[in-house]
Amino acid sequence: MKRICLILLLFMIQRALFAQQAPSENGIDSFIRRFLESNSPEEKPKIGENELFSTVVIHRFYGERNFEPAWVKDHKLPEIAYEMRYEIGQAKFDGLNPDDYHFQAINAYFDRFESAKKAGEKMNTIDLAAVDVLLTDAYIMLSSHLFLGKVDPESLKTTWSIQRNVPELMIDRKLSAAIQSGSLRASIEGYYPAFSIYKKMRDGLRQLFEEQKRFEKEPVAIWKNLKIDKSIKPGDTHNQMPEIRERLYFWGFLKPYQPVDDKMYDSLMIEGIKTIQRRFGMEPDGVIGQGTIHAFNQKPLDMIATASVNLERLRWFPDTIKDIELILVNTANFQLDFIQKLDTVLTSRVIVGKSYHSTPQFSALMSYIVFSPTWTVPTSITRNEIVPKIKKDPNYLAKNNMVLLNSSGSRVDPSSIDWGKVSARSFPYTVRQEPGDHNSLGLVKFMFPNKNSVYIHDTPSRTLFAREDRALSHGCIRIQKPFEFAKILLSNQPSWTDEKITSAMHQSKEVTVNLDRKIPVALIYLTHWADSRGNLYFRNDIYDRDGEIYQALKETRIKKSGI
């Protein structure tokens, strides 16, 4: 009898435990479970017309909590649920679309909850379950997009070869911790890229949305594209000067005043003109040229699109880009920065690839320097440029310190060739330019082996660095400060004094020097960023890469694998 009673007691305990663990058939947990169970493997779960984009993580999240609601408490929507709705709305300042995260549907459920509350009623159970699941799905997808980016860079036409190691995000655990601690904002920010400029750029995008509101309300909303036939200098008069002045007012680069002559470019406007020139990457000379007019024609919506694209690019970058030591080349800004311990120790102008020889985006490790380099002319340049010049001038090779090499690497006397019978398309020789002041690679090249055969090098064409548009090369990076760059790279190797570096740059044969460490190099493309003071900067989209990304951002959300 005692044994039977013991068995019954154990059965009752097990039943009670099962009742605690199993979803209640009439409770919110039961509806949550039903929402997550799709009708077939081919179909994604839906709540009304809203398809859930998380499958793996959302099931794991609710499964571990026995399908208990995460955002609903005592049949009410507590403060943290409202905070999550707010965070979804704020996603537009990350360049993302809040509607990708069920924003409209969630707002509709919240309105229903508020109406029921005002009427002294409770929101029905199935609606509470629905909004709970939608909020969770929104958190998972928003977190994923903030950490990885919404757009897969490998799906774009433009090659992206900056790889990153993607850790297991454990979004479900982070969500549980955020709800338990009530620190949702801190949790969301934890997915931001680890670059200080991201938050500054985000603040800048917020400001641009405010500017857009003002743009739509003020008469300035009828802006037409400004056009000029020739540059306008201080003291000149021009019919479009009143519009230029109005736009300086709009952007806050000039305080309103009553000009003596409305059509004159007066001295009060000069600083405002220089400010916009600096913001758009022009020489701040105060002369209004075509570049300045192009900047004035940018409307807030144009800048919002550019800012959104570049926030997305930052989300693609690996953490190695914030390494202790980094060589960063922004091709859109024609600039190289050498960063050590988060401090920029060298900045140099660079020349990058022409639009049809665009410099690719990738990362690699710089490992050695070649002083007094030779230049092996690429086959395409030999056939398209060198051979036609030799045919016109038989002394072209000698004048340019070039030699011909056969397939075995031996020199060939150019005078032994009947150039009249030579076909550029089937030219069998290699052209090599020997070291010297006029070598196309200059006096030094900096090597970071990569599949793109791109490197950084000096150039004899020093005057080109004065140009604003420096997309002029065949793809490699030409640097304005080669000596300074070599010096700082070799600063850990004491034997390489200034004198030794100078000497190595003027030898008749190549001098190769291995660096004492491998330094990360990142060739990036940012057409917008913000500085530490929050000033916004824009650059021309020289390679037409922004449009494709912006269109992808506007498309219906993209699910990340395994989410």
Side-chain angles (χ1 to χ4, degrees), residues 368-400:
Y368 66 99
I369 301 173
V370 179
F371 292 109
S372 302
T374 60
W375 178 45
T376 300
V377 183
T379 302
S380 60
I381 297 177
T382 297
R383 292 175 177 176
N384 298 329
E385 300 177 28
I386 303 298
V387 172
K389 290 177 180 178
I390 297 173
K391 286 188 172 186
K392 288 182 180 180
D393 180 4
N395 294 318
Y396 177 83
L397 291 173
K399 288 179 180 177
N400 289 277

Side-chain angles (χ1 to χ4, degrees), residues 24 28 46 74 122 197 322 336 339 354 379 516 526:
S24 168
I28 297 176
K46 276 187 175 183
D74 299 328
K122 287 185 177 181
I197 64 169
K322 62 178 178 63
L336 176 149
I339 302 166
K354 302 173 184 177
T379 302
D516 66 329
L526 285 180

Side-chain angles (χ1 to χ4, degrees), residues 157-159 331 351-362 452 454 471-477 523 525 541-545:
K157 293 177 182 177
T158 302
T159 302
T331 53
I351 291 169
V352 302
K354 302 173 184 177
S355 59
Y356 51 90
H357 287 301
S358 61
T359 300
Q361 303 165 99
F362 68 94
N452 303 288
V454 169
L472 305 167
S473 79
H474 285 82
C476 284
I477 310 294
L523 272 58
Y525 187 80
D541 182 14
I542 57 174
Y543 297 150
D544 294 324
R545 292 173 177 170

Side-chain angles (χ1 to χ4, degrees), residues 323-326 337-346:
D323 273 348
I324 293 175
E325 193 170 40
L326 172 70
D337 291 303
F338 189 22
I339 302 166
Q340 290 181 325
K341 298 179 181 178
L342 303 180
D343 184 27
T344 302
V345 294
L346 176 72

